[in-house]
């Protein structure tokens, strides 16, 4: 009995190269393959609060978080800050979650971008880009079928099971932020000015 090999999940026309070179092609890739809103052309910016929000934390804490058995969605890096994409509304929930998890008084270096925020659009290819540019550590997944993606899941895969659990993610991120702060305090280190630079553009 012959085995039927299923078609690949993506085809040649789903890659960023199929839209041509340059910033305009990058914007088209995000708009058509993920349904994400963009603005500007150099650099292209992704608007937060529509298809996703972003949790921001120091890259050092983020790298430790990625080694933990905690599910994340797409993850980007820009300079000394890491961004974890979460479902829309996550930024609004962050302060209450930190209080509920008893992180409020500690005030970890964990912030969020929601409605009205912007992040520089990384290349769709993981790890691509010039030094210092925003890049994907875990790139978003283009939607596989025609039609609008569910807003809460755009870029997270094809099912709700692919979206991260916000409570677990916030708790793990806050824990790693606190560990980094304690480590720097014990070592007599001070955070560089770039570590406090946000991903957002005003």
């Amino acid at each position: 009995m012959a085995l039927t090999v299923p078609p690949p999940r993506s085809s040649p026309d789903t890659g960023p190269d199929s839209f041509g070179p340059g910033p305009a092609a990058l914007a088209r890739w995000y708009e058509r393959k993920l349904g994400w809103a963009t603005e500007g052309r150099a650099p292209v910016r992704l608007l937060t609060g529509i298809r996703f929000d972003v949790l921001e934390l120091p890259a050092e804490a983020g790298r430790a978080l990625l080694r933990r058995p905690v599910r994340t969605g797409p993850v980007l890096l820009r300079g000394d800050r890491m961004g974890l994409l979460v479902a829309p509304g996550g930024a609004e929930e962050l302060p209450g979650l930190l209080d509920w998890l008893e992180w409020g008084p500690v005030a970890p270096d964990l912030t969020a971008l929601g409605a009205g925020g912007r992040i520089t659009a990384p290349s769709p290819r993981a790890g691509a880009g010039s030094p210092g540019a925003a890049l994907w550590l875990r790139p978003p997944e283009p939607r596989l079928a025609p039609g609008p993606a569910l807003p809460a899941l755009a870029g997270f895969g094809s099912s709700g099971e692919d979206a991260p659990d916000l409570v677990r993610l916030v708790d793990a991120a806050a824990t790693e932020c606190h560990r980094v702060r304690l480590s720097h305090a014990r070592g007599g280190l001070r955070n560089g000015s770039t570590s406090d630079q946000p991903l957002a553009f005003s």
Side-chain angles (χ1 to χ4, degrees):
M1 178 178 177
L3 295 176
T4 301
V5 179
R9 288 171 58 102
S10 60
S11 58
D13 65 353
T14 63
D17 294 340
S18 64
F19 291 90
L26 180 64
R28 285 194 297 272
W29 188 89
Y30 278 107
E31 291 166 358
R32 297 180 188 178
K33 291 301 174 184
L34 291 172
W36 290 359
T38 68
E39 73 171 18
R41 287 297 180 265
V44 176
R45 298 179 182 90
L46 306 175
L47 307 186
T48 60
I50 301 172
R51 294 289 191 178
F52 61 87
D53 287 353
V54 181
L55 300 183
E56 292 185 356
L57 69 167
E60 184 178 354
R63 285 190 289 270
L65 172 67
L66 295 183
R67 292 192 292 267
R68 296 180 60 159
V70 178
R71 175 176 290 160
T72 73
V75 179
L76 62 89
L77 179 69
R78 179 174 182 267
D80 290 335
R81 299 289 289 182
M82 190 174 291
L84 310 173
L85 271 62
V86 297
E92 186 177 343
E93 293 183 38
L94 180 63
L97 279 177
L98 289 173
D99 286 340
W100 183 69
L101 294 166
E102 300 184 350
W103 283 110
V106 180
D109 189 11
L110 178 63
T111 58
L113 292 173
R118 294 159 180 81
I119 59 173
T120 301
S123 166
R125 298 191 185 283
S130 59
L135 58 88
W136 287 114
L137 299 180
R138 294 181 179 174
E141 296 181 20
R143 58 194 185 207
L144 303 178
L150 293 174
L153 304 178
F156 294 94
S158 58
S159 72
E161 295 178 357
D162 295 321
D165 180 305
L166 186 62
V167 175
R168 291 190 64 195
L169 186 60
V170 166
D171 193 33
T175 298
E176 296 303 339
C177 287
H178 188 56
R179 285 177 176 168
V180 167
R181 179 178 291 179
L182 291 178
S183 175
H184 288 185
R186 284 195 298 266
L189 300 176
R190 296 179 59 188
N191 289 332
S193 60
T194 56
S195 64
D196 294 323
Q197 296 299 316
L199 294 167
F201 287 82
S202 57

